[in-house]
Every structure is written in structure tokens, then in C-alpha cells.
Amino acid sequence: MHKLSLAFVATLATLALAPVTAPLAQSTKPPSTYEPTPETSCADPLGFLRRVYERELDGVSDPARVWVRPICDGEEVGSLRHAGNAGALRARIAGNAAMMQALDSKNFLPDDVVGVKMTAPDSVILFVHRFLH
């Protein structure tokens, strides 16, 4: 009877831990990877950007702390220019040497920036989409 009780407890413990470990095994992509499904848009990440103030961009002075991330690459999305939070920031981006160097290294212009995400006081992700100029 004692062996039966131990086997029963071991089975319950295994079943109790299964839901906790299953989600960990399913995710193989890094959390920053976003792949749109037919129900979503490639521009969906832009809807989750918080407001960035011009003075925050002044803290970025090293081009190595600027990440340029293309979004909706290869898709024609006319309304994308207004979907993000970069509208009022493009002039400040154009005046920032570090951001311009990072954009230029990837062949983008300040007008291509559609979203801005501050990741630290001195680092930023610029979401870009190549528009016809």
C-alpha cells in the first residue's frame, strides 16, 4: 500500500509541473522577434510605443547605441508613416549625429523613421520603413 501511495504522489507531482514547463519548451524565438499572422499587421508593434520627447533623444551620442530595425520590409504601407510615434521627432533625429550615422550605415533617411523606442537614457531603437522619396 505504501508503494502505491508513493507512485500516486509522484504522478500527481509530474502532472502538476507539466503546465509550468510546457510553455517554456514551446517558445524557441527570442522575445523581440515579431512575425505577423494573417489577422495582424506588420505595423502592430508600432501601436505599443510610448511617447518619446525630443530631449530624450539628446542623450544618444554613440552610434553603437542606435539600433535601426526595418519594419514591414517589402510591403507598401502608405499609412505607416503616421502609425508610429516618430512624426514630431524626425527633425531632432536628423540633427543627431549618432542617429544619422546609424541610419546612413543602413541606407535609411530620417524621413524613413516611423517609430522610436528608448531602451536606456543613451540608447534607442529606430523602426524604419523605406518610402519612395
Side-chain angles (χ1 to χ4, degrees):
M1 176 107 172
H2 182 61
K3 289 181 184 178
L4 183 60
S5 298
L6 285 175
F8 182 69
V9 170
T11 303
L12 283 178
T14 303
L15 291 174
L17 291 177
V20 174
T21 57
L24 297 175
Q26 292 173 356
S27 178
T28 58
K29 294 183 182 180
S32 62
T33 303
Y34 176 80
E35 292 184 17
T37 64
E39 298 84 30
T40 63
S41 164
C42 61
D44 282 354
L46 297 178
F48 300 104
L49 297 175
R50 71 169 187 79
R51 183 174 182 175
V52 175
Y53 295 94
E54 290 181 344
R55 66 180 178 273
E56 292 179 271
L57 297 178
D58 295 340
V60 180
S61 59
D62 181 2
R65 306 289 294 166
V66 179
W67 287 267
V68 178
R69 182 174 174 213
I71 192 164
C72 300
D73 210 18
E75 294 184 35
E76 186 54 44
V77 187
S79 63
L80 189 61
R81 187 180 305 273
H82 306 289
N85 62 349
L89 301 172
R90 290 187 188 105
R92 187 61 68 107
I93 291 168
N96 183 299
M99 288 187 232
M100 285 304 299
Q101 185 176 344
L103 286 168
D104 189 52
S105 72
K106 303 285 185 177
N107 296 316
F108 286 100
L109 300 171
D111 285 342
D112 295 327
V113 178
V114 294
V116 178
K117 180 178 182 180
M118 297 299 299
T119 55
D122 65 341
S123 62
V124 66
I125 298 172
L126 300 176
F127 294 91
V128 294
H129 179 78
R130 194 173 317 280
F131 293 98
L132 298 174
H133 298 284

